[in-house]
Structure formats: structure tokens, C-alpha cells
Amino acid sequence: MKPTHAAASQSRSLLQALRQPHPTLSRTLAALVGGYLFASAAGVLLTALSLTPHESPEHAMLGGGLLGLAMYAIAITWAFGTRSVRRAWTGLLIGSVLLGLPGLLLTMRGGAA
């Protein structure tokens, strides 16, 4: 028994849907995963920048964590507000690298002070 044209077309569209993730699912993953990376990188950078000999490390970590929460909200808004899914992923990953590398280098050096 030969499949009908409609059944063949439906199976092709199902295969295409499986190959390309749904845009909403991809944006959600970008917001959750990419946003977490971005927020963590921003928090680490602020923590490393605010470490001084006169300030306690606990205050610096609290400030970095609070900034991380604010940046997470911004990242989620960015992921759903961009024109394309690729732009959402690219922006969050590039932002994470640009914030994370200086934060990592400052942390390894012992802070900005």
C-alpha cells in the first residue's frame, strides 16, 4: 500500500520540525541557559571589581548577586525581544564572554584592588 501525498507531506513536515527546534523552545532555552551564563558573568565581574581591602568580601558578593538577578531579568527580556532566535543566542553568549573573561581574570588576580 502506497502512502498518500498528504501522509508523505505530513511525515516530511514532522521531520523538518524535529530537525529545527521550535522558536519558542529555543528562546526559552536561550533565556534560561544563556541568561544564567550572562547573569553569572555579570555577577562575577561586579564582585571582582568591588573587592577592596577596606570592604568586606561578603558585601562584594552580595552586590554581585543582586546585580546578577537584575541582569537575569534583562537577559530574559532580551531573549524574547530580539528579532531572531540566532540573535538572542549570539547576544547572550557574546555578552557572557565579554563580561566573564575580565571577571575571571580579576578574580584570579585577587580583585580590582
Side-chain angles (χ1 to χ4, degrees):
M1 186 180 247
K2 287 176 123 181
T4 64
H5 180 66
S9 175
Q10 186 178 15
S11 66
R12 271 184 267 149
S13 65
L14 180 63
L15 287 174
Q16 286 175 345
L18 291 175
R19 279 190 223 133
Q20 295 178 343
H22 197 272
T24 306
L25 176 63
S26 186
R27 285 181 189 270
T28 303
L29 288 174
L32 293 175
V33 176
Y36 180 78
L37 289 173
F38 183 75
S40 297
V44 167
L45 180 62
L46 181 68
T47 301
L49 287 174
S50 61
L51 283 174
T52 63
H54 308 294
E55 184 95 20
S56 67
E58 294 85 11
H59 286 117
M61 289 180 63
L62 181 62
L66 289 174
L67 177 77
L69 285 173
M71 296 305 277
Y72 196 49
I74 291 169
I76 290 171
T77 305
W78 167 263
F80 286 101
T82 58
R83 288 185 181 166
S84 69
V85 175
R86 176 173 284 169
R87 183 177 281 196
W89 277 105
T90 304
L92 288 172
L93 293 177
I94 288 175
S96 298
V97 170
L98 290 177
L99 291 173
L101 285 177
L104 183 65
L105 292 173
L106 284 172
T107 303
M108 291 170 63
R109 251 187 41 199

mmCIF file of all heavy atoms in Angstrom, residues 26-42 71-82 84-100:
data_model
loop_
_atom_site.group_PDB
_atom_site.id
_atom_site.type_symbol
_atom_site.label_atom_id
_atom_site.label_comp_id
_atom_site.label_asym_id
_atom_site.label_seq_id
_atom_site.Cartn_x
_atom_site.Cartn_y
_atom_site.Cartn_z
ATOM 1 N N SER A 26 13.455 27.334 21.693
ATOM 2 C CA SER A 26 14.828 27.825 21.603
ATOM 3 C C SER A 26 15.000 29.141 22.357
ATOM 4 O O SER A 26 16.007 29.343 23.042
ATOM 5 C CB SER A 26 15.227 27.999 20.142
ATOM 6 O OG SER A 26 16.577 28.332 20.046
ATOM 7 N N ARG A 27 14.029 30.033 22.263
ATOM 8 C CA ARG A 27 14.105 31.293 23.007
ATOM 9 C C ARG A 27 14.027 31.047 24.518
ATOM 10 O O ARG A 27 14.703 31.717 25.297
ATOM 11 C CB ARG A 27 12.990 32.241 22.582
ATOM 12 C CG ARG A 27 13.228 32.883 21.239
ATOM 13 C CD ARG A 27 12.086 33.827 20.900
ATOM 14 N NE ARG A 27 12.177 34.290 19.540
ATOM 15 C CZ ARG A 27 12.835 35.390 19.179
ATOM 16 N NH1 ARG A 27 13.452 36.117 20.076
ATOM 17 N NH2 ARG A 27 12.859 35.750 17.911
ATOM 18 N N THR A 28 13.210 30.081 24.915
ATOM 19 C CA THR A 28 13.114 29.749 26.334
ATOM 20 C C THR A 28 14.436 29.205 26.851
ATOM 21 O O THR A 28 14.902 29.585 27.927
ATOM 22 C CB THR A 28 11.980 28.730 26.567
ATOM 23 O OG1 THR A 28 10.758 29.276 26.069
ATOM 24 C CG2 THR A 28 11.829 28.399 28.035
ATOM 25 N N LEU A 29 15.057 28.323 26.090
ATOM 26 C CA LEU A 29 16.368 27.796 26.487
ATOM 27 C C LEU A 29 17.427 28.893 26.490
ATOM 28 O O LEU A 29 18.291 28.922 27.361
ATOM 29 C CB LEU A 29 16.780 26.654 25.564
ATOM 30 C CG LEU A 29 16.011 25.351 25.764
ATOM 31 C CD1 LEU A 29 16.403 24.341 24.694
ATOM 32 C CD2 LEU A 29 16.229 24.797 27.145
ATOM 33 N N ALA A 30 17.350 29.796 25.512
ATOM 34 C CA ALA A 30 18.292 30.915 25.482
ATOM 35 C C ALA A 30 18.100 31.789 26.720
ATOM 36 O O ALA A 30 19.073 32.232 27.337
ATOM 37 C CB ALA A 30 18.104 31.745 24.210
ATOM 38 N N ALA A 31 16.851 32.027 27.087
ATOM 39 C CA ALA A 31 16.580 32.858 28.259
ATOM 40 C C ALA A 31 17.067 32.180 29.535
ATOM 41 O O ALA A 31 17.687 32.826 30.384
ATOM 42 C CB ALA A 31 15.081 33.149 28.354
ATOM 43 N N LEU A 32 16.823 30.879 29.659
ATOM 44 C CA LEU A 32 17.205 30.179 30.887
ATOM 45 C C LEU A 32 18.702 29.915 30.950
ATOM 46 O O LEU A 32 19.367 30.284 31.920
ATOM 47 C CB LEU A 32 16.438 28.862 30.996
ATOM 48 C CG LEU A 32 14.931 28.987 31.204
ATOM 49 C CD1 LEU A 32 14.280 27.610 31.173
ATOM 50 C CD2 LEU A 32 14.626 29.689 32.501
ATOM 51 N N VAL A 33 19.243 29.276 29.920
ATOM 52 C CA VAL A 33 20.654 28.876 29.949
ATOM 53 C C VAL A 33 21.569 30.064 29.644
ATOM 54 O O VAL A 33 22.493 30.365 30.399
ATOM 55 C CB VAL A 33 20.904 27.721 28.957
ATOM 56 C CG1 VAL A 33 22.375 27.348 28.901
ATOM 57 C CG2 VAL A 33 20.067 26.511 29.325
ATOM 58 N N GLY A 34 21.308 30.739 28.525
ATOM 59 C CA GLY A 34 22.133 31.895 28.170
ATOM 60 C C GLY A 34 21.994 33.030 29.168
ATOM 61 O O GLY A 34 22.964 33.711 29.492
ATOM 62 N N GLY A 35 20.775 33.217 29.672
ATOM 63 C CA GLY A 35 20.560 34.253 30.680
ATOM 64 C C GLY A 35 21.289 33.951 31.974
ATOM 65 O O GLY A 35 21.826 34.848 32.620
ATOM 66 N N TYR A 36 21.327 32.671 32.348
ATOM 67 C CA TYR A 36 22.050 32.294 33.555
ATOM 68 C C TYR A 36 23.548 32.559 33.395
ATOM 69 O O TYR A 36 24.189 33.088 34.301
ATOM 70 C CB TYR A 36 21.798 30.819 33.880
ATOM 71 C CG TYR A 36 22.508 30.367 35.116
ATOM 72 C CD1 TYR A 36 22.010 30.675 36.373
ATOM 73 C CD2 TYR A 36 23.694 29.648 35.043
ATOM 74 C CE1 TYR A 36 22.659 30.284 37.521
ATOM 75 C CE2 TYR A 36 24.358 29.253 36.186
ATOM 76 C CZ TYR A 36 23.840 29.563 37.421
ATOM 77 O OH TYR A 36 24.501 29.178 38.548
ATOM 78 N N LEU A 37 24.093 32.180 32.239
ATOM 79 C CA LEU A 37 25.517 32.444 31.985
ATOM 80 C C LEU A 37 25.818 33.939 32.017
ATOM 81 O O LEU A 37 26.807 34.377 32.604
ATOM 82 C CB LEU A 37 25.926 31.855 30.636
ATOM 83 C CG LEU A 37 26.004 30.351 30.538
ATOM 84 C CD1 LEU A 37 26.256 29.928 29.100
ATOM 85 C CD2 LEU A 37 27.084 29.814 31.447
ATOM 86 N N PHE A 38 24.964 34.715 31.367
ATOM 87 C CA PHE A 38 25.147 36.160 31.313
ATOM 88 C C PHE A 38 25.068 36.776 32.703
ATOM 89 O O PHE A 38 25.909 37.595 33.093
ATOM 90 C CB PHE A 38 24.086 36.760 30.385
ATOM 91 C CG PHE A 38 24.207 38.238 30.192
ATOM 92 C CD1 PHE A 38 25.197 38.765 29.388
ATOM 93 C CD2 PHE A 38 23.319 39.110 30.799
ATOM 94 C CE1 PHE A 38 25.311 40.130 29.192
ATOM 95 C CE2 PHE A 38 23.419 40.472 30.615
ATOM 96 C CZ PHE A 38 24.423 40.980 29.813
ATOM 97 N N ALA A 39 24.068 36.374 33.482
ATOM 98 C CA ALA A 39 23.899 36.920 34.832
ATOM 99 C C ALA A 39 25.049 36.511 35.744
ATOM 100 O O ALA A 39 25.532 37.312 36.550
ATOM 101 C CB ALA A 39 22.567 36.453 35.404
ATOM 102 N N SER A 40 25.498 35.277 35.606
ATOM 103 C CA SER A 40 26.626 34.820 36.428
ATOM 104 C C SER A 40 27.897 35.579 36.093
ATOM 105 O O SER A 40 28.654 35.975 36.979
ATOM 106 C CB SER A 40 26.849 33.327 36.227
ATOM 107 O OG SER A 40 25.735 32.607 36.667
ATOM 108 N N ALA A 41 28.128 35.779 34.794
ATOM 109 C CA ALA A 41 29.323 36.515 34.375
ATOM 110 C C ALA A 41 29.282 37.953 34.885
ATOM 111 O O ALA A 41 30.289 38.493 35.362
ATOM 112 C CB ALA A 41 29.453 36.486 32.856
ATOM 113 N N ALA A 42 28.117 38.585 34.811
ATOM 114 C CA ALA A 42 27.986 39.960 35.310
ATOM 115 C C ALA A 42 28.188 40.011 36.817
ATOM 116 O O ALA A 42 28.852 40.924 37.335
ATOM 117 C CB ALA A 42 26.612 40.524 34.943
ATOM 118 N N MET A 71 20.466 41.388 36.028
ATOM 119 C CA MET A 71 20.929 41.052 34.679
ATOM 120 C C MET A 71 20.192 39.840 34.124
ATOM 121 O O MET A 71 19.995 39.720 32.920
ATOM 122 C CB MET A 71 22.436 40.810 34.681
ATOM 123 C CG MET A 71 23.246 42.034 35.041
ATOM 124 S SD MET A 71 22.897 43.452 33.996
ATOM 125 C CE MET A 71 23.936 43.077 32.622
ATOM 126 N N TYR A 72 19.762 38.933 34.996
ATOM 127 C CA TYR A 72 18.999 37.774 34.546
ATOM 128 C C TYR A 72 17.655 38.216 33.971
ATOM 129 O O TYR A 72 17.223 37.725 32.928
ATOM 130 C CB TYR A 72 18.808 36.806 35.716
ATOM 131 C CG TYR A 72 18.377 35.413 35.312
ATOM 132 C CD1 TYR A 72 19.033 34.719 34.312
ATOM 133 C CD2 TYR A 72 17.330 34.782 35.956
ATOM 134 C CE1 TYR A 72 18.658 33.446 33.959
ATOM 135 C CE2 TYR A 72 16.949 33.503 35.612
ATOM 136 C CZ TYR A 72 17.614 32.843 34.609
ATOM 137 O OH TYR A 72 17.226 31.579 34.258
ATOM 138 N N ALA A 73 17.017 39.173 34.617
ATOM 139 C CA ALA A 73 15.752 39.700 34.095
ATOM 140 C C ALA A 73 15.962 40.393 32.753
ATOM 141 O O ALA A 73 15.156 40.248 31.827
ATOM 142 C CB ALA A 73 15.138 40.663 35.107
ATOM 143 N N ILE A 74 17.059 41.121 32.623
ATOM 144 C CA ILE A 74 17.372 41.784 31.353
ATOM 145 C C ILE A 74 17.645 40.752 30.267
ATOM 146 O O ILE A 74 17.203 40.897 29.120
ATOM 147 C CB ILE A 74 18.563 42.740 31.533
ATOM 148 C CG1 ILE A 74 18.135 43.919 32.408
ATOM 149 C CG2 ILE A 74 19.118 43.210 30.197
ATOM 150 C CD1 ILE A 74 19.264 44.796 32.869
ATOM 151 N N ALA A 75 18.353 39.685 30.615
ATOM 152 C CA ALA A 75 18.669 38.645 29.631
ATOM 153 C C ALA A 75 17.413 37.925 29.150
ATOM 154 O O ALA A 75 17.281 37.611 27.957
ATOM 155 C CB ALA A 75 19.653 37.645 30.238
ATOM 156 N N ILE A 76 16.485 37.672 30.052
ATOM 157 C CA ILE A 76 15.233 37.016 29.646
ATOM 158 C C ILE A 76 14.450 37.924 28.713
ATOM 159 O O ILE A 76 13.921 37.488 27.691
ATOM 160 C CB ILE A 76 14.406 36.634 30.887
ATOM 161 C CG1 ILE A 76 15.101 35.497 31.633
ATOM 162 C CG2 ILE A 76 12.987 36.237 30.512
ATOM 163 C CD1 ILE A 76 14.506 35.176 32.973
ATOM 164 N N THR A 77 14.403 39.199 29.036
ATOM 165 C CA THR A 77 13.721 40.156 28.159
ATOM 166 C C THR A 77 14.397 40.215 26.797
ATOM 167 O O THR A 77 13.733 40.259 25.755
ATOM 168 C CB THR A 77 13.707 41.549 28.812
ATOM 169 O OG1 THR A 77 13.117 41.435 30.107
ATOM 170 C CG2 THR A 77 12.936 42.545 27.982
ATOM 171 N N TRP A 78 15.720 40.189 26.780
ATOM 172 C CA TRP A 78 16.469 40.207 25.526
ATOM 173 C C TRP A 78 16.154 38.972 24.688
ATOM 174 O O TRP A 78 15.958 39.067 23.479
ATOM 175 C CB TRP A 78 17.969 40.280 25.814
ATOM 176 C CG TRP A 78 18.826 40.009 24.631
ATOM 177 C CD1 TRP A 78 19.412 38.818 24.301
ATOM 178 C CD2 TRP A 78 19.196 40.916 23.597
ATOM 179 N NE1 TRP A 78 20.124 38.940 23.141
ATOM 180 C CE2 TRP A 78 20.003 40.222 22.684
ATOM 181 C CE3 TRP A 78 18.911 42.252 23.357
ATOM 182 C CZ2 TRP A 78 20.537 40.817 21.559
ATOM 183 C CZ3 TRP A 78 19.442 42.845 22.227
ATOM 184 C CH2 TRP A 78 20.246 42.132 21.351
ATOM 185 N N ALA A 79 16.121 37.806 25.311
ATOM 186 C CA ALA A 79 15.907 36.569 24.564
ATOM 187 C C ALA A 79 14.559 36.557 23.853
ATOM 188 O O ALA A 79 14.441 36.037 22.742
ATOM 189 C CB ALA A 79 16.017 35.367 25.504
ATOM 190 N N PHE A 80 13.547 37.124 24.465
ATOM 191 C CA PHE A 80 12.231 37.134 23.842
ATOM 192 C C PHE A 80 11.952 38.398 23.039
ATOM 193 O O PHE A 80 10.979 38.458 22.300
ATOM 194 C CB PHE A 80 11.140 36.938 24.902
ATOM 195 C CG PHE A 80 11.066 35.531 25.397
ATOM 196 C CD1 PHE A 80 11.638 35.190 26.599
ATOM 197 C CD2 PHE A 80 10.442 34.550 24.646
ATOM 198 C CE1 PHE A 80 11.581 33.890 27.067
ATOM 199 C CE2 PHE A 80 10.382 33.252 25.095
ATOM 200 C CZ PHE A 80 10.960 32.916 26.307
ATOM 201 N N GLY A 81 12.804 39.397 23.145
ATOM 202 C CA GLY A 81 12.559 40.654 22.458
ATOM 203 C C GLY A 81 13.312 40.831 21.156
ATOM 204 O O GLY A 81 13.045 41.780 20.424
ATOM 205 N N THR A 82 14.245 39.942 20.855
ATOM 206 C CA THR A 82 15.018 40.094 19.627
ATOM 207 C C THR A 82 14.232 39.606 18.420
ATOM 208 O O THR A 82 13.246 38.889 18.550
ATOM 209 C CB THR A 82 16.339 39.307 19.708
ATOM 210 O OG1 THR A 82 16.040 37.943 19.941
ATOM 211 C CG2 THR A 82 17.223 39.845 20.801
ATOM 212 N N SER A 84 15.329 37.567 15.981
ATOM 213 C CA SER A 84 15.560 36.170 15.621
ATOM 214 C C SER A 84 16.130 35.401 16.802
ATOM 215 O O SER A 84 16.705 35.982 17.730
ATOM 216 C CB SER A 84 16.528 36.078 14.436
ATOM 217 O OG SER A 84 17.821 36.490 14.827
ATOM 218 N N VAL A 85 15.972 34.103 16.728
ATOM 219 C CA VAL A 85 16.499 33.228 17.779
ATOM 220 C C VAL A 85 18.024 33.264 17.755
ATOM 221 O O VAL A 85 18.673 33.277 18.804
ATOM 222 C CB VAL A 85 15.967 31.791 17.580
ATOM 223 C CG1 VAL A 85 16.597 30.840 18.571
ATOM 224 C CG2 VAL A 85 14.460 31.773 17.691
ATOM 225 N N ARG A 86 18.584 33.304 16.572
ATOM 226 C CA ARG A 86 20.046 33.343 16.450
ATOM 227 C C ARG A 86 20.621 34.588 17.121
ATOM 228 O O ARG A 86 21.634 34.537 17.798
ATOM 229 C CB ARG A 86 20.451 33.304 14.975
ATOM 230 C CG ARG A 86 21.948 33.431 14.776
ATOM 231 C CD ARG A 86 22.318 33.225 13.363
ATOM 232 N NE ARG A 86 22.230 31.790 13.141
ATOM 233 C CZ ARG A 86 22.287 31.228 11.954
ATOM 234 N NH1 ARG A 86 22.416 31.955 10.888
ATOM 235 N NH2 ARG A 86 22.202 29.926 11.835
ATOM 236 N N ARG A 87 19.953 35.715 16.949
ATOM 237 C CA ARG A 87 20.414 36.961 17.578
ATOM 238 C C ARG A 87 20.319 36.867 19.103
ATOM 239 O O ARG A 87 21.178 37.378 19.819
ATOM 240 C CB ARG A 87 19.597 38.133 17.076
ATOM 241 C CG ARG A 87 20.058 39.467 17.630
ATOM 242 C CD ARG A 87 19.273 40.579 17.056
ATOM 243 N NE ARG A 87 19.792 40.853 15.721
ATOM 244 C CZ ARG A 87 19.547 41.945 15.049
ATOM 245 N NH1 ARG A 87 18.784 42.876 15.558
ATOM 246 N NH2 ARG A 87 20.047 42.128 13.854
ATOM 247 N N ALA A 88 19.292 36.200 19.610
ATOM 248 C CA ALA A 88 19.148 36.033 21.055
ATOM 249 C C ALA A 88 20.308 35.212 21.614
ATOM 250 O O ALA A 88 20.947 35.606 22.589
ATOM 251 C CB ALA A 88 17.812 35.353 21.373
ATOM 252 N N TRP A 89 20.589 34.066 20.986
ATOM 253 C CA TRP A 89 21.693 33.220 21.446
ATOM 254 C C TRP A 89 23.029 33.936 21.302
ATOM 255 O O TRP A 89 23.854 33.921 22.217
ATOM 256 C CB TRP A 89 21.722 31.904 20.665
ATOM 257 C CG TRP A 89 20.790 30.869 21.194
ATOM 258 C CD1 TRP A 89 19.596 30.484 20.652
ATOM 259 C CD2 TRP A 89 20.954 30.086 22.378
ATOM 260 N NE1 TRP A 89 19.023 29.499 21.423
ATOM 261 C CE2 TRP A 89 19.847 29.234 22.486
ATOM 262 C CE3 TRP A 89 21.939 30.014 23.355
ATOM 263 C CZ2 TRP A 89 19.686 28.334 23.526
ATOM 264 C CZ3 TRP A 89 21.788 29.112 24.393
ATOM 265 C CH2 TRP A 89 20.679 28.286 24.466
ATOM 266 N N THR A 90 23.240 34.560 20.153
ATOM 267 C CA THR A 90 24.518 35.229 19.906
ATOM 268 C C THR A 90 24.758 36.358 20.901
ATOM 269 O O THR A 90 25.838 36.481 21.468
ATOM 270 C CB THR A 90 24.561 35.771 18.465
ATOM 271 O OG1 THR A 90 24.316 34.698 17.558
ATOM 272 C CG2 THR A 90 25.893 36.393 18.145
ATOM 273 N N GLY A 91 23.760 37.180 21.119
ATOM 274 C CA GLY A 91 23.912 38.301 22.045
ATOM 275 C C GLY A 91 24.206 37.844 23.467
ATOM 276 O O GLY A 91 25.070 38.409 24.142
ATOM 277 N N LEU A 92 23.497 36.819 23.912
ATOM 278 C CA LEU A 92 23.711 36.349 25.282
ATOM 279 C C LEU A 92 25.067 35.669 25.439
ATOM 280 O O LEU A 92 25.747 35.862 26.451
ATOM 281 C CB LEU A 92 22.589 35.397 25.689
ATOM 282 C CG LEU A 92 21.241 36.075 25.919
ATOM 283 C CD1 LEU A 92 20.145 35.038 26.126
ATOM 284 C CD2 LEU A 92 21.310 37.009 27.110
ATOM 285 N N LEU A 93 25.481 34.900 24.453
ATOM 286 C CA LEU A 93 26.766 34.209 24.568
ATOM 287 C C LEU A 93 27.941 35.171 24.445
ATOM 288 O O LEU A 93 28.915 35.078 25.197
ATOM 289 C CB LEU A 93 26.860 33.088 23.541
ATOM 290 C CG LEU A 93 25.889 31.927 23.772
ATOM 291 C CD1 LEU A 93 26.012 30.893 22.662
ATOM 292 C CD2 LEU A 93 26.100 31.288 25.127
ATOM 293 N N ILE A 94 27.851 36.117 23.526
ATOM 294 C CA ILE A 94 28.931 37.106 23.396
ATOM 295 C C ILE A 94 28.992 37.987 24.651
ATOM 296 O O ILE A 94 30.071 38.280 25.161
ATOM 297 C CB ILE A 94 28.751 37.948 22.117
ATOM 298 C CG1 ILE A 94 29.060 37.094 20.894
ATOM 299 C CG2 ILE A 94 29.650 39.181 22.137
ATOM 300 C CD1 ILE A 94 28.794 37.771 19.573
ATOM 301 N N GLY A 95 27.834 38.395 25.151
ATOM 302 C CA GLY A 95 27.805 39.181 26.380
ATOM 303 C C GLY A 95 28.389 38.417 27.557
ATOM 304 O O GLY A 95 29.103 38.985 28.391
ATOM 305 N N SER A 96 28.111 37.123 27.631
ATOM 306 C CA SER A 96 28.661 36.302 28.713
ATOM 307 C C SER A 96 30.173 36.231 28.640
ATOM 308 O O SER A 96 30.864 36.329 29.662
ATOM 309 C CB SER A 96 28.082 34.891 28.642
ATOM 310 O OG SER A 96 26.700 34.905 28.814
ATOM 311 N N VAL A 97 30.692 36.080 27.435
ATOM 312 C CA VAL A 97 32.152 36.016 27.275
ATOM 313 C C VAL A 97 32.784 37.370 27.596
ATOM 314 O O VAL A 97 33.805 37.436 28.297
ATOM 315 C CB VAL A 97 32.517 35.551 25.847
ATOM 316 C CG1 VAL A 97 33.991 35.713 25.572
ATOM 317 C CG2 VAL A 97 32.100 34.103 25.646
ATOM 318 N N LEU A 98 32.182 38.444 27.098
ATOM 319 C CA LEU A 98 32.749 39.774 27.331
ATOM 320 C C LEU A 98 32.711 40.183 28.800
ATOM 321 O O LEU A 98 33.579 40.940 29.255
ATOM 322 C CB LEU A 98 32.018 40.821 26.483
ATOM 323 C CG LEU A 98 32.260 40.736 24.980
ATOM 324 C CD1 LEU A 98 31.420 41.779 24.247
ATOM 325 C CD2 LEU A 98 33.727 40.906 24.654
ATOM 326 N N LEU A 99 31.741 39.713 29.544
ATOM 327 C CA LEU A 99 31.685 40.006 30.975
ATOM 328 C C LEU A 99 32.456 38.975 31.796
ATOM 329 O O LEU A 99 33.008 39.295 32.845
ATOM 330 C CB LEU A 99 30.237 40.049 31.457
ATOM 331 C CG LEU A 99 29.380 41.207 30.969
ATOM 332 C CD1 LEU A 99 27.937 41.005 31.407
ATOM 333 C CD2 LEU A 99 29.912 42.520 31.483
ATOM 334 N N GLY A 100 32.478 37.746 31.321
ATOM 335 C CA GLY A 100 33.082 36.670 32.094
ATOM 336 C C GLY A 100 34.592 36.662 32.098
ATOM 337 O O GLY A 100 35.216 36.394 33.128
#
